[in-house]
Amino acid sequence: MSEHLQTTDRSDSVVIIPTYNEKENIRAICEAVIALPQRFDILVIDDGSPDGTADIVRELRKENPGRIHLTEREGKQGLGTAYIAGFKESLALGYEYIFEMDADFSHNPADLIPLRNACAVDGADMSIGSRYVTGVNVVNWPMGRVLMSYYASAYVRIVTGLPVRDTTAGFVCYTRRVLEALPLDNIRFKGYAFQIEMKFTAFKYGFKIKEVPIIFVNRVLGESKMNSSIFSEAVFGVMRLKLSSLFKKYPDYGKRD
């Protein structure tokens, strides 16, 4: 079920925030995005949070007419399907720059502006908020988790040839051009490997990808959705992704008119 308020004076940028039990964070993260000096609208995709997350978003929507959209889904359907639903909805609403961002402040809302500039000003088709493009910029993660994430990204680069330092990053700006071209209904991964598959597919389509350095901060409030099985999906799914790509012919969007 989707509920929207629309105005003629709307931003060309929308931030998709998937949520499941994020009542501790959702008001603060939405207010932080709304307060930015550049206008970004928000699309929350809530997977039936039993803690009342969607109720808070409805209140925020009344307080900020035309700025916040809400889609409610039944049950936990996975991060990947939430973003795919958000992409389709954002395209239908006419946005040009479409962002992925977590609800828990691990991504700094202020970094939305340089991510957008990488596309709108510098000409990238897709920009990635990267933890690893200038070293390791992660705060409050256990060392084991940092190493697991860093070397998982290195593994993805080696196997796929994807020229991205932070292949599992979840802080991303897509231009409309990319999302209209990619076969969204054919994206197979549902968990965090979804992030790898989207980047790999965009790369194979010839889109220009730019990494923007960010500092990633581990969540303070709420429960993390990360676990070892998520990394296992990312690591073991990559080989299948690479093998299947050997038998596909990809269109080339690298040349612009």
Side-chain angles (χ1 to χ4, degrees):
M1 177 176 63
S2 300
E3 305 172 33
H4 308 291
L5 290 175
Q6 298 186 46
T7 70
T8 54
D9 179 25
R10 189 181 63 215
S11 172
D12 63 359
S13 303
V14 65
V15 183
I16 302 171
I17 304 178
T19 56
Y20 183 77
N21 286 348
E22 290 289 356
K23 69 177 183 180
E24 295 95 343
N25 294 303
I26 192 61
R27 173 172 285 276
I29 195 72
C30 287
E31 290 177 343
V33 172
I34 294 293
L36 291 172
Q38 189 163 345
R39 178 167 172 166
F40 294 85
D41 292 344
I42 298 167
L43 169 57
V44 175
I45 309 290
D46 185 68
D47 273 6
S49 297
D51 71 347
T53 297
D55 294 333
I56 297 171
V57 176
R58 277 190 285 271
E59 293 173 6
L60 286 163
R61 192 180 51 194
K62 291 178 182 177
E63 297 166 12
N64 301 276
R67 300 294 306 273
I68 297 175
H69 311 291
L70 169 64
T71 293
E72 297 180 68
R73 309 194 307 167
E74 292 186 4
K76 294 181 70 174
Q77 299 180 42
L79 182 75
T81 65
Y83 274 128
I84 294 296
F87 294 156
K88 291 179 177 180
E89 194 150 354
S90 299
L91 292 173
L93 288 168
Y95 290 101
E96 182 64 31
Y97 302 101
I98 299 165
F99 296 77
E100 299 177 355
M101 191 175 78
D102 291 346
D104 60 7
F105 282 96
S106 55
H107 305 139
N108 184 346
D111 288 331
L112 289 166
I113 295 174
L115 278 175
R116 183 185 181 279
N117 288 343
C119 294
V121 178
D122 299 337
D125 297 304
M126 174 181 176
S127 60
I128 299 168
S130 177
R131 298 164 289 186
Y132 306 130
V133 73
T134 57
V136 178
N137 295 320
V138 177
V139 177
N140 292 337
W141 259 11
M143 183 55 65
R145 186 167 168 185
V146 173
L147 292 173
M148 185 183 294
S149 174
Y150 181 84
Y151 285 111
S153 278
Y155 166 79
V156 173
R157 290 198 309 274
I158 292 168
V159 172
T160 64
L162 178 62
V164 171
R165 300 289 299 179
D166 194 350
T167 58
T168 60
F171 196 17
V172 181
C173 173
Y174 296 90
T175 59
R176 181 180 191 88
R177 180 171 182 256
V178 172
L179 293 180
E180 286 182 332
L182 296 189
L184 297 179
D185 290 333
N186 294 336
I187 299 297
R188 295 181 301 170
F189 290 120
K190 301 296 188 281
Y192 279 75
F194 162 83
Q195 303 291 2
I196 300 170
E197 186 173 5
M198 287 293 293
K199 295 177 184 67
F200 179 71
T201 307
F203 166 65
K204 296 297 286 185
Y205 271 57
F207 287 115
K208 181 181 178 183
I209 301 173
K210 180 175 181 178
E211 288 187 90
V212 176
I214 65 162
I215 295 176
F216 180 95
V217 181
N218 195 29
R219 72 160 60 230
V220 174
L221 299 174
E223 295 184 4
S224 174
K225 315 302 188 293
M226 188 70 70
N227 56 52
S228 59
S229 66
I230 286 171
F231 282 106
S232 296
E233 178 198 38
V235 171
F236 295 111
V238 166
M239 189 62 73
R240 296 198 306 272
L241 186 64
K242 174 62 176 178
L243 289 173
S244 65
S245 74
L246 300 176
F247 303 97
K248 293 182 182 178
K249 184 173 177 59
Y250 295 89
D252 186 2
Y253 283 80
K255 295 181 180 179
R256 297 174 183 265
D257 296 334

